[in-house]
Amino acid sequence: MTDDLQTLQSETDAALAAAADPRALDAVRVAVLGKSGRLTALLKELGRASPEERRERGAALNRLKDALTAAIEARRGELDAAALGARLAAERMDMTLPPRPRAQGLIHPISRTMEEMAAIFGAMGFAIAEGPDIEDDWRNFGALNIPAHHPARQDMDTFYLPGIDADGRSRVLRTHTSPVQVRTMLNQEPPIRVIVPGRTYRADHDATHSPMFHQVEGLVIDRAITLGHLKGCLIDFLRAFFGITTLPVRFRSSYFPFTEPSMEVDIGWNRKTGELGGGGDWLEILGSGMVHPKVLANCGIDPREWQGFAFGMGIERVTMLKHGIPDLRPFYESDIRWLRHYGFNPLAPAMLHEGV
Amino acid sequence: MKFTLSWLKTHLETTASLSEITDALTMIGLELEGVENRGAALAPFRVAHVIEAVQHPNADRLRACTVDTGAGLVSVVCGAPNARTGMKAVFAPPGSFIPGTGITLKVGEIRGVQSAGMLLSVREMGLGEEHDGILELSPEAPVGVPYAAWAGLDDPVIDIAVTPNRGDALSVRGVARDLAAAGLGTLLPFAPAPVPAEFESPFGWAIAMQDACPWVLGRTITGLKNGPSPQWLQDRLLAIGLRPINALVDVTNFFTIDLGRPLHVFDAGKISGTTLTFRPGDGETFKALNGKDYTATPDDCVIADAAGVQSLAGVIGGEATGCDAATTSVFVECALFNPVRVALTGRRHQVASDARSRFERGIDPALLPDAIEAATRMIQHLCGGQASTVAAAGAEPHWRRTASLRFERLAGLGGLDVAPDEVVGALERLGFTVAGRDAERVVVQVPSWRNDIAAGTPLEPSATLPAERAAKAAAGRAEIEPECDLIEEVLRLGGLDRIPPVSLPAGGAVPAATLTPRQARASVARRTLAAQGLAECVTFSFMEGARAALFGGTSEALRLANPIAADLDQMRPTPLATLALAAARNAARGHAEVGLFEIGPAYPAIDRQVQVAAGLRAGPPARHWAAPATPATAMDAKADVWTVLAALGVPMDALTVTADAPAHYHPGRSGCVRQGPKTVLATFGELHPRVLAALDLAGPAIGFEIDLDAVADPKRRRKTAPDLPSFQPLRRDFAFLVDAGVAADAVLRAARGAERTLIAGVSLFDLYQGDGLPEGKKSLAIEVVFQPRERTLTDAEIEAACQKVVAAVAKATGAALRG
């Protein structure tokens, strides 16, 4: 490279190094590569050289042009990076600031339990049946083999509404979900396999009783359903619901007007610690039995052809046991602190394949 | 039902332990409520004789005693001032736990004298507060025997819950019979020998209310001496919580518990006339044995003498003819009453007596002759006297009936194969007698005390059943019910744990949907609302009437006849009402900012219950450095409604909002969401300031109610192919000046409808009212998206489309394009 070219390169390099912003950089570029730039001028002079000289100097000039162009772009990159760096530095924020709150909604524990019941019983082929909270006394009592004078009617402190309905019957707030058994048997031909979660009402209000609470009823009617199936179904449910595959379950004889034979169901727990599964104590958890022939007949089902079982369980009770919730009353008080503590994530609903 | 172990053993010969008995009771359906066993803690303590008590050589206040424990002589140092030579006392050996001090004894040396045990005070045994010194026993107390046994404190009291069907088990004998049948021993015979009559009874019966009292026996006993009953009888009654009164009354209480056979004794000297009549009440008032006055109604069966009503039959006796210490002759009543009448009378007059609880469950109709003999004998034994003939009225009712059981049904219904011999044996132990048997079945006579077996009580069939179907079902019931009764007996005695559990047979490999579309709607709405940041509540279905009225709930038909509290008397018209109360409660606790929802019933009318998703947002939002603390507005309520309805698959374009929301909303800031002219899907808005003030809720608060029952089931349709044009959409902005009363929705709809094929979307991006605009006008700025489909639009085409938008909006709303 001739001296003049070398000088041009070194002077340009120095100018580029001195260019502190894109405009200064552009000025350097124009001064070298612009229309009247120094390199452009040298290229123009090439025509006057001999062909021999022209080839050699032309090649040198082109090499220099490439080198200078690259140097300019490299410097431009440096300047851009520096500018971006300065901007980013200026944009720095305190990342320890609290983010904008997004309200977290929750599912009530009672709903959660009902969902879990639907999932588990659903896997056993049950559908969900429903009925109104305001019932007539025939569906709530009479059809279920609880005649007017029956002592069981005194055990259930019934809420009454004034007046009578079109059929001349008293209106009550249902004391159990069992009237839906009657509705289902009257509306549907067997075989039947339903659960009935819902609101129930009894005139009782203290630390362990609420005038409104929730039950789930179960009803299975088929040709060859036995007490063995009742036991199997409830053991399967209780073990799945509480997530304890070895949960001890005990059945003992009892009485309900609408079942025969009737039985109470206990699960094993530790009375001292409240832990379920072991401990040698028994905790009464639900009532059940084979559907009484009178109940079947009251609903037009011939007990010679059809038989089955029914059960009823307190939803709050099993919810309290499963989650260790000590008190009943806060379930209905809507204390936002309680709801936040015991509520469930709506986007993690009860699904068997994710685990209930 | 309470009884003591020793009482039970007067009917049951058994070697079973207390825990074996109580476990069996629970398993056979006589559920154990509790066992009170005062003797257990006293088990190590024995009666001892203080051979010598001398001054301790090294301590002024102590005595060194030599004690005969029955198992040898021991040295005991005792600090009690009353410890003296020759006394009988209670001795606790080393190793025993002292209930009153919580200490387990060890052999020790106290100031140089060995002490190998302790002489106990009442308080140290945990039997009372007395601590003046050690308990001094009577000189006759036998040395070496367990103190608790000697003092009668070792008799455990067993308390069981008797189910309403088992009147027979409200007696010690009935319990003993069940235990014997379950294999825990042998039922001892009960066959009281007749007491010879020494004279004709001067008193007799008349029954003028046959259905209430089918049969009664009576007996006069004269020349007796009433007084306190003997200690054993007092002890038994006291142990189960009954107060001893006098021998005659205690005898009746004894048989009530022992045989489940309530009796009554009239003081014969106080009866007017010679006939006691069972008849309907006639408004007479009498004083009962509990000291209260009762007025008999024509539905009550009373027992009356010449002076008037003396007893509510089967429920409670009267004071005027009651027995006291001065009684020298009695007329014993042993009657049978109609259980329903007794139950109704008891309930009507709110008397809960031991007699009532047995009569209303039904007592053994064949027991009367034996019972009156046993009672007569016991009265004579305790009080002396001479017995008359038995005066009777009515007759033993027909109770004999049979029940039949096919052996295969034990497995067919009960799920357990039981050998026929075992089946028959169990029934026989319960008192059934075999009337016939072959390989398939057994027919048994039902014992008189089991009124729950093959009872044949009336059906209450549905009135809507076709006659033929009802008759067939009734015939089936008549055949099957007695068999079920017997199956239950056999299974319960053997223990239901014997029945092998069987999982339900699957209906198919994959079950069908568990929820109906309506139920699934509630689930989706629940998750959607929770995902909007609202916390789900479950509130009561009833509330205070005055507050329900704020939300339109004033129906008398929906007011409870017997509310549990004055503030829980009206069925709620909407869950929004109880949510508002919940918000107020939270605010009162210092948590004013809440977002709540509930999916539950509303009771708009007596025959209508609606599933409503209601929500409420109240309170000033918490301040935040990056978000303005703006309270929720009616538009937030609308957004909640929109989100839910969209999640439920409602066609959102078809919805309209009208300004006729219910009165609990702000009249100018609320709306009804309608699908078509008739269907109201939801209401929403700011709550009315009057409502907020009445509930002490600082406003503003917004609410919404979505009628989930009004939402149509989703149609299962395949979706059409999506519209994905390849040309870029064009966006044009328009600002319209309209009257302030023009609905924004009208502008948006008019714009959207101006050129259906070309306009893909219209959105409102600015709303302005105020300075720079004429009075009564507002400016609405919208963006219209034009979507070319076949080719790029020309400027002229775009201009034409814009003109159509301006013209359509102007025509629909009177709007003018702002320059």
Side-chain angles (χ1 to χ4, degrees):
Chain A
M1 194 187 291
T2 53
D3 286 351
D4 61 334
L5 297 192
Q6 219 140 35
T7 305
L8 177 56
Q9 176 153 24
S10 57
E11 285 175 5
T12 306
D13 284 346
L16 282 175
D21 56 43
R23 216 169 60 188
L25 178 70
D26 221 40
V28 176
R29 183 185 63 80
V30 170
V32 180
L33 298 172
K35 266 186 189 161
S36 37
R38 287 170 65 188
L39 187 66
T40 314
L42 292 175
L43 283 167
K44 280 179 189 163
E45 285 168 11
L46 257 188
R48 283 175 297 196
S50 66
E52 185 81 351
E53 251 180 3
R54 199 181 324 167
R55 193 167 58 244
E56 195 178 318
R57 184 157 173 93
L61 280 172
N62 278 330
R63 275 198 302 278
L64 181 58
K65 185 181 179 185
D66 289 346
L68 291 179
T69 304
I72 290 166
E73 288 314 309
R75 181 61 183 155
R76 190 189 304 283
E78 282 171 27
L79 288 179
D80 285 353
L84 184 61
R87 195 187 109 204
L88 293 178
E91 285 173 356
R92 174 178 295 279
M93 281 178 67
D94 178 1
M95 286 302 108
T96 67
L97 284 169
R100 247 184 225 116
R102 303 225 176 120
Q104 175 62 58
L106 297 157
I107 302 285
H108 195 282
I110 289 176
S111 296
R112 170 72 189 194
T113 295
M114 288 186 179
E115 270 184 21
E116 293 175 2
M117 288 175 167
I120 297 167
F121 281 113
M124 291 192 254
F126 284 77
I128 293 187
E130 293 169 293
D133 298 359
I134 299 174
E135 273 288 7
D136 64 48
D137 60 356
W138 177 74
R139 285 195 187 84
N140 196 73
F141 294 122
L144 295 164
N145 193 27
I146 312 173
H149 55 82
H150 200 288
R153 282 212 194 184
Q154 297 157 54
D155 296 344
M156 301 177 184
D157 306 289
T158 310
F159 286 114
Y160 286 88
L161 288 145
I164 50 169
D165 66 11
D167 298 322
R169 295 171 179 152
S170 295
R171 291 191 174 97
V172 301
L173 291 184
R174 65 181 181 191
T175 58
H176 45 187
T177 41
S178 308
V180 184
Q181 282 190 29
V182 179
R183 289 179 175 273
T184 306
M185 286 190 273
L186 286 173
N187 293 340
Q188 184 186 333
E189 294 291 326
I192 291 169
R193 215 180 268 200
V194 294
I195 58 166
V196 187
R199 293 182 175 220
T200 47
Y201 306 85
R202 288 184 203 176
D204 212 348
H205 208 176
D206 57 36
T208 55
H209 294 87
S210 166
M212 185 192 93
F213 56 103
H214 296 73
Q215 274 192 347
V216 65
E217 188 87 3
L219 177 69
V220 174
I221 304 285
D222 211 325
R223 293 197 187 272
I225 290 293
T226 73
L227 228 155
H229 292 113
L230 164 52
K231 290 183 67 172
C233 172
L234 289 175
I235 290 172
D236 288 343
F237 167 76
L238 290 169
R239 289 181 175 168
F241 178 78
F242 288 112
I244 303 171
T245 51
T246 56
L247 182 71
V249 183
R250 178 175 87 165
F251 296 79
R252 58 191 163 73
S253 183
S254 188
Y255 168 78
F256 305 104
F258 29 88
T259 50
E260 185 177 44
S262 300
M263 45 210 218
E264 298 263 23
V265 184
D266 301 337
I267 57 173
W269 78 319
N270 184 324
R271 198 191 305 275
K272 287 203 187 76
T273 63
E275 206 172 325
L276 298 178
D281 300 316
W282 291 104
L283 180 66
E284 186 177 313
I285 197 160
L286 66 96
S288 64
M290 300 302 288
V291 180
H292 200 288
K294 285 184 74 176
V295 175
L296 293 172
N298 283 337
C299 299
I301 295 177
D302 187 342
R304 288 170 296 197
E305 293 173 26
W306 300 98
Q307 62 190 36
F309 65 80
F311 59 86
M313 173 169 24
I315 288 180
E316 284 85 343
R317 183 165 172 74
V318 295
T319 306
M320 290 164 78
L321 284 173
K322 180 166 180 173
H323 304 295
I325 303 176
D327 298 322
L328 174 67
R329 289 200 236 187
F331 275 84
Y332 320 101
E333 283 172 359
S334 310
D335 185 326
I336 191 70
R337 298 164 299 178
W338 188 92
L339 294 172
R340 282 187 192 130
H341 186 78
Y342 286 116
F344 287 86
N345 176 3
L347 299 181
M351 293 185 286
L352 286 184
H353 64 283
E354 289 189 1
V356 293
Chain B
M1 155 96 186
K2 283 185 177 175
F3 53 91
T4 65
L5 183 61
S6 69
W7 198 340
L8 179 70
K9 286 183 175 175
T10 64
H11 290 283
L12 181 71
E13 188 180 296
T14 183
T15 55
S17 69
L18 176 64
S19 66
E20 283 167 341
I21 288 172
T22 53
D23 286 352
L25 285 169
T26 290
M27 295 313 289
I28 62 178
L30 303 174
E31 187 184 356
L32 184 74
E33 296 269 276
V35 179
E36 192 194 340
N37 192 359
R38 291 183 297 171
L42 306 178
F45 308 147
R46 289 174 185 269
V47 175
H49 184 202
V50 181
I51 303 286
E52 185 182 48
V54 298
Q55 181 63 43
H56 190 291
N58 306 319
D60 287 350
R61 298 196 175 177
L62 298 180
R63 301 183 80 74
C65 307
T66 305
V67 175
D68 177 5
T69 66
L73 298 186
V74 297
S75 166
V76 174
V77 175
C78 178
N82 65 334
R84 58 174 175 77
T85 300
M87 75 184 294
K88 292 280 179 66
V90 182
F91 172 74
S96 56
F97 178 82
I98 309 301
T101 61
I103 292 169
T104 299
L105 284 187
K106 282 185 288 203
V107 177
E109 203 180 86
I110 300 172
R111 297 210 177 183
V113 177
Q114 199 199 39
S115 187
M118 189 172 173
L119 298 172
L120 299 173
S121 70
V122 167
R123 191 166 79 186
E124 281 156 349
M125 285 190 279
L127 296 175
E129 285 307 303
E130 208 178 306
H131 196 53
D132 294 341
I134 56 175
L135 176 64
E136 178 157 5
L137 307 179
S138 79
E140 294 88 52
V143 171
V145 305
Y147 164 70
W150 177 77
L153 295 170
D154 66 336
D155 196 5
V157 180
I158 300 169
D159 188 7
I160 56 170
V162 176
T163 53
N165 59 323
R166 292 297 307 278
D168 68 296
L170 282 176
S171 68
V172 180
R173 185 162 185 81
V175 172
R177 183 187 295 117
D178 256 28
L179 286 169
L184 269 83
T186 312
L187 184 68
L188 294 168
F190 171 73
V195 177
E198 296 180 45
F199 59 96
E200 196 71 24
S201 176
F203 299 99
W205 303 108
I207 299 176
M209 201 172 179
Q210 191 68 45
D211 81 300
C213 175
W215 193 23
V216 60
L217 303 181
R219 200 161 197 186
T220 310
I221 305 169
T222 58
L224 51 74
K225 185 177 181 308
N226 199 9
S229 52
Q231 196 60 44
W232 70 265
L233 180 51
Q234 293 202 25
D235 284 347
R236 278 196 195 166
L237 296 178
L238 277 169
I240 63 166
L242 288 178
R243 191 167 53 93
I245 312 259
N246 56 49
L248 290 168
V249 174
D250 292 354
V251 166
T252 64
N253 285 335
F254 172 81
F255 282 107
T256 300
I257 306 298
D258 191 61
L259 297 180
R261 174 56 265 195
L263 301 168
H264 184 66
V265 282
F266 293 94
D267 185 330
K270 299 173 184 168
I271 299 174
S272 301
T274 56
T275 302
L276 288 165
T277 305
F278 295 85
R279 62 162 172 82
D282 191 22
E284 308 98 323
T285 298
F286 81 108
K287 190 176 284 293
L289 284 168
N290 60 7
K292 293 183 185 160
D293 289 334
Y294 296 96
T295 303
T297 76
D299 292 324
D300 300 320
C301 177
V302 301
I303 307 174
D305 66 2
V309 173
Q310 302 302 341
S311 174
L312 275 178
V315 176
I316 194 163
E319 201 176 70
T321 50
C323 293
D324 54 35
T327 301
T328 56
S329 62
V330 292
F331 187 51
V332 182
E333 166 208 327
C334 180
L336 195 60
F337 296 115
N338 178 332
V340 176
R341 284 215 176 260
V342 171
L344 294 176
T345 291
R347 209 179 303 170
R348 191 176 300 123
H349 298 285
Q350 298 186 332
V351 183
S353 63
D354 285 327
R356 173 193 165 187
S357 63
R358 285 163 180 81
F359 280 120
E360 71 183 4
R361 284 170 171 80
I363 58 162
D364 183 351
L367 186 62
L368 276 63
D370 275 352
I372 201 152
E373 295 300 343
T376 306
R377 186 163 294 277
M378 192 176 209
I379 289 173
Q380 279 188 333
H381 182 65
L382 301 185
C383 307
Q386 298 80 44
S388 76
T389 53
V390 173
E396 180 173 325
H398 170 76
W399 56 263
R400 288 181 174 76
R401 60 198 184 279
T402 58
S404 144
L405 170 62
R406 292 165 289 167
F407 297 118
E408 60 90 3
R409 293 303 292 158
L410 265 306
L413 183 81
L416 181 70
D417 262 319
V418 186
D421 285 347
E422 192 187 330
V423 171
V424 174
L427 293 174
E428 284 179 330
R429 287 197 301 278
L430 283 170
F432 293 84
T433 50
V434 174
R437 178 177 168 179
D438 60 24
E440 267 83 54
R441 71 179 65 216
V442 62
V443 179
V444 290
Q445 280 279 355
V446 179
S448 57
W449 54 85
R450 289 305 297 268
N451 64 358
D452 58 322
I453 307 284
T457 50
L459 284 174
E460 291 188 52
S462 165
T464 61
L465 291 175
E468 194 184 331
R469 182 169 174 182
K472 181 164 174 286
R477 173 263 173 149
E479 205 176 306
I480 297 298
E481 187 188 3
E483 187 166 68
C484 280
D485 294 341
L486 298 181
I487 289 171
E488 177 166 48
E489 293 304 305
V490 174
L491 291 178
R492 79 179 171 90
L493 290 182
L496 300 173
D497 278 341
R498 284 205 299 169
I499 300 167
V502 184
S503 289
L504 273 181
V510 179
T514 309
L515 304 189
T516 62
R518 177 179 178 275
Q519 292 157 352
R521 218 149 44 226
S523 288
V524 171
R526 178 175 295 114
R527 289 197 289 272
T528 305
L529 286 169
Q532 300 310 300
L534 300 175
E536 190 189 14
C537 302
V538 174
T539 60
F540 284 164
S541 301
F542 27 52
M543 61 188 300
E544 188 184 348
R547 292 178 160 184
L550 294 169
F551 294 84
T554 56
S555 167
E556 286 288 338
L558 286 162
R559 185 159 305 154
L560 295 179
N562 57 335
I564 195 155
D567 61 351
L568 297 173
D569 65 339
Q570 181 81 29
M571 299 309 288
R572 67 185 184 190
T574 163
L576 182 59
T578 44
L579 282 182
L581 298 179
R585 280 197 302 273
N586 275 297
R589 286 190 204 104
H591 295 269
E593 189 212 358
V594 289
L596 307 176
F597 80 99
E598 175 166 3
I599 295 184
Y603 308 88
I606 186 69
D607 292 322
R608 213 162 87 79
Q609 177 177 327
V610 183
Q611 183 173 232
V612 169
L616 179 141
R617 295 176 187 269
R623 291 173 302 167
H624 190 265
W625 65 272
T630 46
T633 69
M635 284 303 116
D636 294 302
K638 186 177 176 184
D640 288 330
V641 170
W642 246 242
T643 308
V644 171
L645 292 180
L648 298 180
V650 170
M652 302 305 289
D653 287 345
L655 300 183
T656 54
V657 175
T658 56
D660 49 352
H664 51 267
Y665 289 109
H666 185 307
R669 293 183 177 179
S670 61
C672 276
V673 181
R674 292 172 183 274
Q675 185 177 22
K678 291 210 184 99
T679 307
V680 174
L681 293 183
T683 55
F684 69 90
E686 276 185 27
L687 291 187
H688 199 291
R690 192 186 59 229
V691 171
L692 297 179
L695 300 180
D696 275 338
L697 198 53
I702 60 102
F704 61 87
E705 298 147 84
I706 303 168
D707 180 349
L708 294 177
D709 291 337
V711 176
D713 290 348
K715 294 194 179 70
R716 282 223 168 222
R717 257 197 320 233
R718 281 173 61 155
K719 288 186 170 180
T720 54
D723 180 23
L724 306 171
S726 52
F727 296 94
Q728 282 214 358
L730 294 152
R731 294 187 166 80
R732 289 290 182 274
D733 294 348
F734 303 83
F736 290 105
L737 194 66
V738 294
D739 287 344
V742 168
D745 190 48
V747 172
L748 295 172
R749 278 176 195 279
R752 199 173 296 125
E755 178 68 273
R756 284 239 168 250
T757 54
L758 197 54
I759 295 176
V762 178
S763 58
L764 180 77
F765 68 87
D766 188 46
L767 164 65
Y768 179 74
Q769 207 165 356
D771 287 348
L773 292 187
E775 188 70 19
K777 295 278 184 186
K778 66 183 175 188
S779 163
L780 296 172
I782 64 173
E783 179 193 81
V784 177
V785 180
F786 298 103
Q787 178 59 63
R789 288 170 193 285
E790 273 131 39
R791 57 187 172 76
T792 310
L793 298 180
T794 65
D795 285 350
E797 284 168 332
I798 295 168
E799 180 58 24
C802 287
Q803 289 305 328
K804 278 190 180 170
V805 169
V806 173
V809 172
K811 183 169 178 231
T813 67
L817 195 65
R818 289 180 75 188

